[in-house]
Amino acid sequence: MDSKFAFAFLLFYFLMSSHSVISQTSGKVNIGESLVTMDQNLSWLSPSKDFAFGFRQLNDNDDFFLLAIWYYKIPDGDIVCYAKGGNPAQRGSKVELTADRGLVLKDPQGTEIWQSNFGTGRVAYGVMNDTGNFVLVNINSESPALWESFSHPTDTLLPTQAMKIEGILSSRKSVTNFSQGRFQFRLLSDGNAVLNPINLPSNYTYDA
Ligand SMILES: *[C@@H]1O[C@H](CO)[C@@H](O)[C@H](O)[C@H]1NC(C)=O
Ligand SMILES: *[C@@H]1O[C@H](CO)[C@@H](O)[C@H](O)[C@H]1NC(C)=O
Ligand SMILES: *[C@@H]1O[C@H](CO)[C@@H](O)[C@H](O)[C@H]1NC(C)=O
Ligand SMILES: *[C@@H]1O[C@H](CO)[C@@H](O)[C@H](O)[C@H]1NC(C)=O
């Protein structure tokens, strides 16, 4: 092969492949992009690949997937946030990023089973941030995020994630069952942070 041609080809190849690496890992999710659960843990990654947002299979070979955020680089990395009160979705479920309603989760029959509620506004795009926060960016850039996973903590707070007054972290049933468990960590409006058990299913809170 002519060496100039080979050099140009290699340069071209290098530019193309580095470009595709960058676009795959920008953390940005465009309107209309979707993930459908199949046999894999499909996800959108943060730029550093530390965090993934998507479907995580609960047990090997089973048909249930949690819409969640987890540590991606660590094998079996901990799930740090999950949607739908920890209720898993069936194989064939789909999550899509829409402009008017944000993230919309549908079951295999196409019935909507969860969405990221944010009132009014339009989403420009989504970002899986390196901090572990999945952010829906407002099309009106003067305003803050329309919705972010950091405002909906489940059982974990990540570094830089603030706990808001009247915020609740809730334990789960077990390692593989993400339904609400019997223990809570709450930041009360009087400024006290408390750990308390609750009664299920009434949610009555016992003394701290
Ligand atoms: C999905 O991830 C879980 C937890 O890391 C793992 O047990 C399971 O084997 C993975 N499933 C597939 C199909 O890769
Ligand atoms: C992502 O997190 C960084 C801090 O690590 C922050 O500066 C940036 O604004 C965040 N991006 C979005 C879209 O929230
Ligand atoms: C989790 O536990 C709850 C309450 O015990 C039960 O109703 C539910 O079916 C369990 N979910 C899974 C996926 O096993
Ligand atoms: C208890 O709290 C959970 C989680 O916030 C909620 O889904 C459920 O409806 C509550 N149950 C009752 C009886 O209020």
Side-chain angles (χ1 to χ4, degrees):
M1 209 193 295
D2 174 73
S3 65
K4 272 186 194 152
F5 176 77
F7 175 74
F9 176 80
L10 281 174
L11 185 64
F12 176 75
Y13 182 76
F14 173 74
L15 289 173
M16 289 312 288
S17 56
S18 61
H19 171 77
S20 67
V21 166
I22 289 164
S23 64
Q24 271 168 20
T25 57
S26 69
K28 191 168 163 181
V29 180
N30 294 310
I31 302 299
E33 282 193 60
S34 62
L35 298 168
V36 179
T37 58
M38 280 303 171
D39 294 317
Q40 299 144 14
N41 296 309
L42 288 179
S43 60
W44 292 318
L45 299 181
S46 73
S48 65
K49 298 190 178 178
D50 281 320
F51 290 98
F53 170 92
F55 289 109
R56 209 16 219 263
Q57 198 174 25
L58 286 183
N59 294 298
D60 272 346
N61 306 318
D62 83 7
D63 285 334
F64 294 102
F65 295 79
L66 203 60
L67 186 63
I69 295 169
W70 66 92
Y71 279 103
Y72 182 74
K73 282 181 175 168
I74 305 168
D76 289 331
D78 279 345
I79 289 175
V80 295
C81 192
Y82 38 92
K84 239 179 126 259
N87 288 313
Q90 283 174 305
R91 186 187 297 273
S93 298
K94 175 180 177 178
V95 64
E96 182 174 355
L97 182 60
T98 68
D100 50 346
R101 290 183 310 140
L103 295 163
V104 176
L105 175 62
K106 290 183 175 169
D107 71 12
Q109 288 73 44
T111 307
E112 187 176 311
I113 48 179
W114 179 84
Q115 65 157 292
S116 55
N117 272 312
F118 55 70
T120 55
R122 279 185 86 73
V123 180
Y125 56 89
V127 184
M128 181 67 254
N129 202 311
D130 281 337
T131 53
N133 192 12
F134 192 91
V135 181
L136 298 183
V137 176
N138 197 330
I139 211 158
N140 169 7
S141 57
E142 290 157 47
S143 309
L146 281 176
W147 183 94
E148 51 186 339
S149 59
F150 270 14
S151 298
H152 304 271
T154 47
D155 66 355
T156 306
L157 284 181
L158 290 169
T160 77
Q161 182 174 6
M163 179 122 176
K164 303 210 166 101
I165 295 286
E166 292 184 350
I168 299 179
L169 293 187
S170 194
S171 69
R172 49 170 118 145
K173 274 261 144 62
S174 70
V175 175
T176 54
N177 186 327
F178 289 75
S179 296
Q180 188 183 21
R182 289 187 51 244
F183 300 93
Q184 291 182 330
F185 175 65
R186 297 185 298 154
L187 186 57
L188 305 181
S189 53
D190 64 9
N192 278 314
V194 296
L195 275 168
N196 60 269
I198 62 168
N199 180 273
L200 289 175
S202 75
N203 289 350
Y204 175 83
T205 54
Y206 295 110
D207 286 345

